[in-house]
């Protein structure tokens, strides 16, 4: 089992402002939270009362890289992808629900945005747990 997901980039409203929305951004395979930082900054400008969080995927990428994967890509086939996404899902669901609770926000206030492998995880998360988020943005 991997360590719990950790928020690497966290953009919160001013301390006196209670967050009204939650955006969780999920990076692509062989990437990291910094890959989503420009999008996070744009969201914060458009939605100043939003909390924008970018966790690091739990799996280290194959090789010596410091990048991360949501699920292993080595030897990946369609059948294996389904199993690997299912294996990674409980950790992501727990992270999303914990952050909603911590920030006092409800699922309709939550948007998941993912790129590549992160998009797969975002789409599968709302399939796995109906009502988890109010919206999903998926980028290929």
């Amino acid at each position: 089992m991997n360590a719990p997901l950790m928020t690497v980039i966290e953009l919160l409203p001013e301390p006196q402002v209670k967050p009204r929305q939650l955006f969780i951004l999920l990076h692509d395979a062989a990437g990291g939270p910094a890959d989503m930082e420009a999008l996070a900054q744009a969201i914060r400008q458009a939605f100043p009362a939003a909390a924008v969080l970018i966790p690091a995927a739990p799996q280290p990428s194959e090789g010596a890289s410091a990048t991360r994967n949501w699920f292993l890509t080595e030897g990946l086939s369609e059948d294996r992808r389904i199993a690997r996404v299912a294996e990674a899902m409980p950790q992501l669901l727990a992270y999303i629900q914990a952050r909603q609770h911590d920030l006092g926000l409800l699922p309709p206030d939550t948007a998941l945005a993912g790129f590549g492998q992160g998009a797969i995880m975002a789409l599968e998360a709302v399939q796995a747990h109906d009502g988890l988020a109010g919206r999903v943005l998926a980028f290929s």
Side-chain angles (χ1 to χ4, degrees):
M1 179 96 187
N2 299 310
L5 294 184
M6 295 179 48
T7 303
V8 174
I9 297 174
E10 180 175 84
L11 305 175
L12 300 174
E14 297 298 322
Q16 68 275 16
V17 177
K18 180 190 180 308
R20 293 193 309 228
Q21 293 173 297
L22 172 59
F23 290 84
I24 297 177
L25 310 183
L26 307 175
H27 62 81
D28 196 4
D35 298 339
M36 303 292 280
E37 191 165 11
L39 177 59
Q41 294 294 345
I43 291 170
R44 280 287 291 130
Q45 284 189 330
F47 301 96
V52 184
L53 310 177
I54 311 174
Q59 292 285 338
S61 295
E62 292 83 14
S65 172
T67 60
R68 314 289 295 171
N69 290 335
W70 293 98
F71 51 88
L72 293 176
T73 58
E74 187 176 318
L76 195 60
S77 66
E78 193 55 36
D79 290 341
R80 287 184 180 141
R81 181 187 329 270
I82 292 167
R84 289 176 185 179
V85 169
E87 183 181 321
M89 193 55 58
Q91 194 172 12
L92 178 60
L93 292 174
Y95 172 82
I96 293 167
Q97 292 169 330
R99 295 315 313 252
Q100 288 169 330
H101 179 267
D102 294 346
L103 294 165
L105 293 168
L106 300 171
D109 305 321
T110 303
L112 304 178
F115 182 78
Q117 207 181 61
I120 292 170
M121 295 302 293
L123 290 167
E124 290 296 323
V126 296
Q127 284 290 107
H129 191 282
D130 188 30
L132 179 70
R135 36 210 178 281
V136 174
L137 300 114
F139 303 94
S140 172

